[in-house]
Amino acid sequence: MFPLVMSLGLVVALGAIGLVASAGANRTAQDIHQADRLTLQRTLGGLANQYFLFVAKDALDYAADQRWSLTVDDPADRARLRTFVEHSPVLSHGAALVSLTGAPLNSFARDPGLPAANDPGYQPLRALLLRRELGLSSVMRVEGVSVVALAVPVMDGDTPGALFVGFFRADTGALQTYNERLRYGKTGRAYLVDSAGGIVASSRRAEVGGRYDAAAVLERLRDEHDGFMTFARGSVRYIASYASVGVGGWGAITEQTEAEFFGRIASGGRTVMLALLALLIVAAGTVAVLNHKRQLALRKAYEYKGQLLANTTHELKTPLTAIRGSAMTLGMRWREMKPQQVDQFLSIIHRRCDALGKLIERILMGARLEAGREIMIAPEPIDVRGALRAIAAEFSEATTHHTIVVDAPDGLIVEVDPDAMDQILGLLVENAIKYSPEGGEIRIGAEGAPDEMVTVRVSDPGVGISAEDRGHVFEPYFKGSRGDGQHFAGVGLGLAIARHLVCLHGGDIHVSSQSGVGTLFSFTLPRGRAMAPDPAVAEVTT
Amino acid sequence: MSARVLIIENDPDIITISHATLTEAGFEVDVATNVGDALAACERSTPDLALVDIRLGMRATGWEFIRAVLKSGNWPSMHLAVFSVHAEEDEYLAEAEALGIGAVVTKNGDPRILLHEVRRLLN
């Protein structure tokens, strides 16, 4: 459980780091988006500024070029005013001459005429002129038409002699046309506002001449040259970028709903978060599955160890039972027993003690194999036929139910450790007997062409090994399946040890088998040099 | 008439020891090393008690003999006892109980225990 909690904790922590990183990236993206909008806003403010400077310069140049009489209602002055209006690219609604005291001198205007001289919209214009700044009025209404006035001095030598005032229509002017073309998504609006908050131009023409309603934005526009802010209009959150135009206290404003402005970034963030969440779920699921698998493997290992212990115990208990039974029987009854009976029980003790010793040695060797420890061998030339006959004789004593047949040519020599050879043959023959029915014939043989490895075979007519088990029989502690959910008795080390010993000599071991028909184990060993005749044996035989 | 005991066991040394112990104590003893021989022995002469080793090697187990006997119903008077080095283990006890056999005899080689258990079961 603890590793599962640890792993899940790690995954959650990584996920949280990912989410925080995502939120950070989201904020950065918002900042960049906001900065982009502000840059655009500054550009708009700058363009408007250049526009007014252009208009003012045009008016100033024209006023300076003319020989104004500056008398009230002078027809020549009016003609000059008309010429200007008809040819001006911007101040095309009307023009007027005004004395420095504010008294009207002359004017020309298209319909519906000019705002009255007492229109409060002129106040900013006058205030600016007094400060010797470029004069711009607020947007004014004349019979539903929005007009704006721009004033430049008419110089009389080095001093101003009067004012030249030009008018343009806000609702159809170039500024309005330009603003209408600005697009900021579905909710975006662009405005050009005068110093009093009147809308001089808007991306929605109907709003021109009205009042810009976001007081917070106008206030920030008065206090700062430019900036970016959020505000609420009713229940909807908006963002606004604003920049001063630089003349007349005017400003350019762009607003848009916050949801739309940050929407793509937010949805991108949501996508990242969802992706991370999905990753988190997948990772947590993977960890859970891996842990589950690990726990299953652990449980299997525990069950396996338990089974191994049970098998080993059984294999140890059986000879011990025979030894104890024989010893106790002898102890209680040896006086009444015939000598042959005494020998029989002593023989059981002797044989089973040997078997027990071998079993313990096998278990220890299995432990050495599992631990990867080296097993020392000392190969020497061994006569294969002799070795096979010896093992056949040994096992023939132990089993009365099986026949062991040896089939090997004379003079076949292998280079092998004698103890290892005994072990390998013993393990294979023991298995052959164990898994063969009574009366079965176990055949052990050997063959080998000159210059080739010698092949030794042990075959039995036993129960056979299933195809599934064949690939595992040489694995330590593997127990063949009986086919009824049970496993064969034994520790499961014999074949693993046999293979290891064969491999130590540079040979190989194979199994071929058919369920219910029998099994053939064959292993190879390096061919040895022929032994010199034993002088002692030679003497006896002659 | 002495009681007849059938030993079903595949280890020749255990057979030798058990056979000697029971014969000496006056029992008639039959021996079988596999399930088929054991059932044949029952057919020949019904034992009063069958001591059944479980791990008989190869494919059959002593449980199969016990099931065959119980299923046939041919030998209702025959006592059945599990005879194994693992007799005291939970798995064996549970299986024996499931089959309705209360008797388990631990095979530890002690002739006195074997005799004591056989006499107890037959009485």
Side-chain angles (χ1 to χ4, degrees), chain A residues 333-344:
Chain A
R333 294 178 37 226
W334 68 274
R335 286 181 187 84
E336 308 96 69
M337 280 181 171
K338 293 173 186 167
Q340 294 95 321
Q341 280 183 298
V342 173
D343 283 348
Q344 186 184 20

Side-chain angles (χ1 to χ4, degrees), chain A residues 21 24 132 182 203 210 214 217 233 324 384 386 394 407 411 422 472 495:
Chain A
R132 293 182 178 275
L182 293 174
S203 48
V217 181
R233 183 181 283 126
R324 180 191 282 130
V384 179
E394 183 187 332
D407 176 22
D422 276 353
H472 302 287
L495 292 176

Side-chain angles (χ1 to χ4, degrees), chain A residues 501-513:
Chain A
L501 291 174
V502 168
C503 291
L504 278 179
H505 290 83
D508 207 351
I509 187 166
H510 298 283
V511 60
S512 58
S513 181

Side-chain angles (χ1 to χ4, degrees), chain A residues 268-289:
Chain A
R270 271 198 300 278
T271 306
V272 172
M273 283 175 72
L274 284 174
L276 282 168
L277 197 64
L279 193 67
L280 196 75
I281 290 167
V282 168
T286 308
V287 167
V289 167

Side-chain angles (χ1 to χ4, degrees), chain A residues 307 310-311 313-315 317-318 320-322 324-326 328-329 332-333 336 344-345 348 351-352 398 434-438 463-464 481-484 488-490 516, chain B residues 9-14 16-18 20-21 24 33-34 37 53-61 64 84-89 91-92 106-112:
Chain A
Q307 188 63 43
N311 290 334
T313 307
H314 179 86
E315 295 302 306
K317 270 184 174 177
T318 303
L320 272 176
T321 300
R324 180 191 282 130
S326 299
M328 292 188 75
T329 304
M332 289 188 291
R333 294 178 37 226
E336 308 96 69
Q344 186 184 20
F345 284 105
I348 292 174
R351 198 161 20 79
R352 300 310 284 254
K434 188 172 164 183
Y435 296 116
S436 295
E438 288 178 10
V463 293
S481 170
R482 286 162 31 118
D484 59 356
F488 288 113
Chain B
E9 168 68 65
N10 71 331
D11 187 308
D13 295 339
I14 302 291
T16 302
I17 296 160
S18 308
T21 302
E24 180 65 26
T33 57
N34 57 57
D37 288 356
D53 183 23
I54 298 303
R55 295 195 187 198
L56 291 174
M58 302 286 290
R59 294 208 176 278
T61 69
E64 286 162 39
S84 167
V85 291
H86 296 293
E88 73 276 18
E89 287 183 7
E91 189 188 338
Y92 278 36
T106 301
K107 185 167 62 181
N108 71 349
D110 190 334
R112 294 166 302 184

Side-chain angles (χ1 to χ4, degrees), chain A residues 420-443:
Chain A
M421 183 67 163
D422 276 353
Q423 271 192 295
I424 298 164
L425 287 172
L427 290 163
L428 294 179
V429 173
E430 184 184 307
N431 262 5
I433 291 171
K434 188 172 164 183
Y435 296 116
S436 295
E438 288 178 10
E441 188 179 83
I442 314 298
R443 301 185 70 84

Side-chain angles (χ1 to χ4, degrees), chain A residues 5-270:
Chain A
V5 171
M6 281 289 288
S7 308
L8 282 175
L10 187 64
V11 168
V12 169
L14 287 172
I17 290 168
L19 289 177
V20 169
S22 164
N26 204 20
R27 274 197 301 278
T28 305
Q30 287 186 355
D31 288 346
I32 291 169
H33 196 39
Q34 184 175 314
D36 281 349
R37 177 58 63 88
L38 185 55
T39 302
L40 181 65
Q41 198 63 55
R42 286 178 185 137
T43 305
L44 286 175
L47 281 173
N49 180 276
Q50 295 295 317
Y51 180 82
F52 283 121
L53 290 178
F54 164 72
V55 175
K57 181 70 167 61
D58 180 49
L60 198 61
D61 287 349
Y62 186 81
D65 276 353
Q66 308 304 314
R67 292 177 168 270
W68 303 100
S69 70
L70 297 181
T71 54
V72 178
D73 292 333
D74 177 63
D77 282 356
R78 180 171 296 156
R80 292 186 186 100
L81 290 172
R82 180 177 184 152
T83 303
F84 176 79
V85 170
E86 286 176 346
H87 293 89
S88 171
V90 179
L91 300 172
S92 56
H93 178 65
L97 289 170
V98 181
S99 73
L100 291 178
T101 60
L105 298 175
N106 213 333
S107 69
F108 171 81
R110 301 180 194 275
D111 289 336
L114 301 178
N118 59 354
D119 192 306
Y122 286 115
Q123 283 172 9
L125 182 146
R126 293 196 185 101
L128 290 165
L129 289 172
L130 287 173
R131 293 206 302 270
R132 293 182 178 275
E133 293 178 19
L134 180 60
L136 260 180
S137 75
S138 293
V139 63
M140 296 173 282
R141 290 269 189 176
V142 185
E143 296 180 20
V145 173
S146 303
V147 295
V148 174
L150 177 144
V152 295
V154 179
M155 302 302 287
D156 183 13
D158 290 335
T159 58
L163 291 176
F164 179 88
V165 184
F167 295 83
F168 65 91
R169 279 182 67 152
D171 53 354
T172 57
L175 287 172
Q176 173 56 27
T177 306
Y178 179 72
N179 270 273
E180 278 179 34
R181 288 176 184 165
L182 293 174
R183 291 282 182 274
Y184 299 99
K186 289 180 181 173
T187 63
R189 302 278 183 272
Y191 295 100
L192 185 64
V193 296
D194 62 27
S195 60
I199 298 173
V200 183
S202 165
S203 48
R204 284 194 298 183
R205 182 175 294 207
E207 291 181 314
V208 174
R211 301 280 301 174
Y212 183 68
D213 63 349
V217 181
L218 292 175
E219 193 176 334
R220 291 280 287 275
L221 183 59
R222 272 196 297 274
D223 296 341
E224 298 170 16
H225 183 263
D226 53 43
F228 186 95
M229 63 181 289
T230 59
F231 68 98
R233 183 181 283 126
S235 60
V236 182
R237 299 281 307 167
Y238 284 84
I239 60 96
S241 54
Y242 52 89
S244 170
V245 169
V247 290
W250 287 22
I253 299 170
T254 302
E255 62 169 51
Q256 195 171 3
T257 60
E258 200 171 48
E260 186 178 54
F261 183 73
F262 289 124
R264 288 172 65 186
I265 295 169
S267 71
R270 271 198 300 278

